[in-house]
């Protein structure tokens, strides 16, 4: 199964405020938009993002105030090597709230928050467009099960790990992924804690070659039969990982005028 990480979806309370925030501070541009009955979906990303780079999907449901849980951790965006402090200082000068500066993170990364409190890590990379999505972090309650889910069901490779005294981070991504593609960071805390989802984080999306064939492969591999293609008008489908994080499957032509399959 060749499944590129296509996007990560966040719910926001004020769409125009969020679009302005990401456009002003990260130079994101609107790639596509869908106006539904009572909701709006907007895809964002850098102007010169890689063809297999991941998009940020912002979803706004009218009259709702999303609640941030802790089962989802953060998205991470890239800046060039050696430019972390300058990038963070630029965000501060632009009016972004000071959250975790480079010094407090050992000079290796930093964090800010968007208007809804979604955490955004800033990492240094020698690849990918500035501010492009590097990874998205989810918290898991069993590291072995989480790694097994991604490596067996989606055929992802474990490409990195960091094991500390109280927690471990594991990174997985599609086999033969381009450096510019997004990874998934699985964070496992050793103290046996459980997590609350809230509804401010929506899902990860995997772009696959054949919706129905790949869905059947996942079902055969005992993935959660959450919302099958028929339940989604044969346009997309959803499964869940072992902890309940939602994962969308979508088949679409990235060269088409619209990113939406409907």
């Amino acid at each position: 199964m060749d499944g590129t990480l296509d996007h990560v979806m966040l719910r926001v309370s004020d769409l125009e405020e969020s679009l302005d925030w990401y456009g002003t501070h990260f130079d994101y541009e609107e790639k596509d938009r869908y106006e539904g009955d009572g909701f709006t979906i907007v895809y964002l990303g850098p102007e010169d993002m890689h063809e297999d780079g991941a998009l940020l999907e912002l979803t706004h449901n009218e009259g709702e105030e999303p609640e941030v849980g802790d089962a989802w951790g953060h998205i991470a965006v890239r800046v060039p090597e050696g430019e972390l402090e300058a990038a963070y200082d630029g965000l501060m000068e632009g009016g972004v709230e000071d959250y975790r500066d480079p010094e407090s993170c050992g000079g290796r990364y930093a964090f800010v928050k968007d208007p809804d409190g979604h955490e955004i890590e800033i990492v240094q990379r020698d690849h990918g467009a500035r501010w492009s999505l590097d990874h998205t972090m989810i918290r898991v309650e069993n590291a072995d099960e989480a790694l097994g889910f991604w490596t067996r069901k989606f055929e992802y490779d474990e490409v990195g790990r960091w094991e500390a005294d109280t927690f471990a981070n594991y990174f997985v991504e599609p086999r033969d992924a381009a450096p510019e593609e997004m990874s998934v960071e699985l964070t496992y805390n050793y103290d046996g804690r459980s997590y609350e989802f809230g509804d401010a984080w929506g899902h990860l999306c995997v772009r696959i070659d054949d919706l129905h064939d790949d869905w059947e492969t996942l079902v055969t591999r005992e993935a959660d039969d959450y919302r099958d293609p028929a339940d989604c008008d044969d346009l997309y489908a959803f499964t869940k990982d072992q902890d309940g994080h939602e994962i969308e499957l979508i088949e679409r032509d990235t060269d088409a005028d619209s990113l939406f399959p409907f």
Side-chain angles (χ1 to χ4, degrees):
M1 180 183 298
D2 183 16
T4 298
L5 286 160
D6 185 82
H7 65 262
V8 56
M9 187 272 264
L10 306 179
R11 294 186 179 91
V12 299
S13 56
D14 186 321
L15 181 60
E16 293 309 315
E17 180 183 16
S18 293
L19 292 176
D20 179 70
W21 193 90
Y22 282 98
T24 298
H25 302 301
F26 290 168
D27 295 323
Y28 276 16
E29 63 179 21
E30 186 172 319
K31 303 293 188 181
D32 207 356
R33 175 184 291 245
Y34 179 78
E35 303 281 353
D37 184 11
F39 70 94
T40 303
I41 296 172
V42 180
Y43 284 131
L44 301 174
E47 179 182 0
D48 57 347
M49 65 183 291
H50 188 271
E51 62 181 357
D52 285 330
L55 293 158
L56 177 65
E57 176 189 336
L58 299 182
T59 293
H60 172 64
N61 296 307
E62 295 177 10
E64 294 186 6
E65 294 285 338
E67 179 181 350
V68 177
D70 60 359
W72 176 77
H74 59 258
I75 55 174
V77 296
R78 304 175 178 116
V79 298
E81 294 280 357
E83 297 186 18
L84 176 62
E85 290 190 9
Y88 194 84
D89 290 345
L91 293 174
M92 298 302 100
E93 293 169 3
V96 175
E97 183 178 349
D98 186 6
Y99 178 43
R100 294 180 61 191
D101 63 19
E103 183 178 359
S104 70
C105 300
R108 296 179 292 125
Y109 50 87
F111 281 87
V112 295
K113 289 184 178 181
D114 77 0
D116 287 281
H118 298 106
E119 294 189 12
I120 303 167
E121 183 182 11
I122 305 166
V123 298
Q124 302 180 85
R125 297 288 187 260
D126 61 2
H127 56 264
R130 187 181 186 89
W131 304 123
S132 59
L133 289 174
D134 182 78
H135 64 266
T136 187
M137 186 271 267
I138 57 178
R139 295 186 176 93
V140 301
E141 297 185 13
N142 185 303
D144 292 333
E145 290 182 3
L147 286 168
F149 176 89
W150 285 100
T151 58
R152 177 171 178 262
K153 293 176 173 59
F154 281 93
E155 300 176 26
Y156 277 25
D157 287 335
E158 181 187 337
V159 295
R161 65 170 59 193
W162 169 259
E163 295 181 335
D165 292 338
T166 59
F167 70 94
N169 297 329
Y170 305 93
F171 291 86
V172 296
E173 64 183 33
R175 291 178 181 173
D176 302 318
E180 296 86 354
E181 293 186 40
M182 185 173 74
S183 302
V184 180
E185 176 186 351
L186 308 172
T187 292
Y188 171 61
N189 290 295
Y190 302 157
D191 56 9
R193 73 182 75 174
S194 58
Y195 304 100
E196 297 293 332
F197 273 89
D199 60 359
W201 182 81
H203 59 258
L204 290 168
C205 179
V206 176
R207 187 170 72 238
I208 40 80
D209 293 327
D210 188 293
L211 178 62
H212 294 87
D213 285 351
D214 288 336
W215 177 259
E216 289 303 317
T217 297
L218 286 174
V219 171
T220 299
R221 293 173 180 172
E222 302 175 298
D224 190 330
D225 185 356
Y226 176 44
R227 296 178 61 193
D228 65 20
D231 188 48
C232 303
D233 297 322
D234 293 312
L235 299 171
Y236 48 88
F238 280 87
T239 187
K240 291 183 178 182
D241 73 3
Q242 71 293 328
D243 288 299
H245 300 98
E246 293 188 16
I247 302 165
E248 181 182 16
L249 285 86
I250 196 167
E251 174 191 342
R252 66 181 177 198
D253 181 3
T254 56
D255 296 325
D257 292 336
S258 174
L259 296 174
F260 292 96
F262 44 88

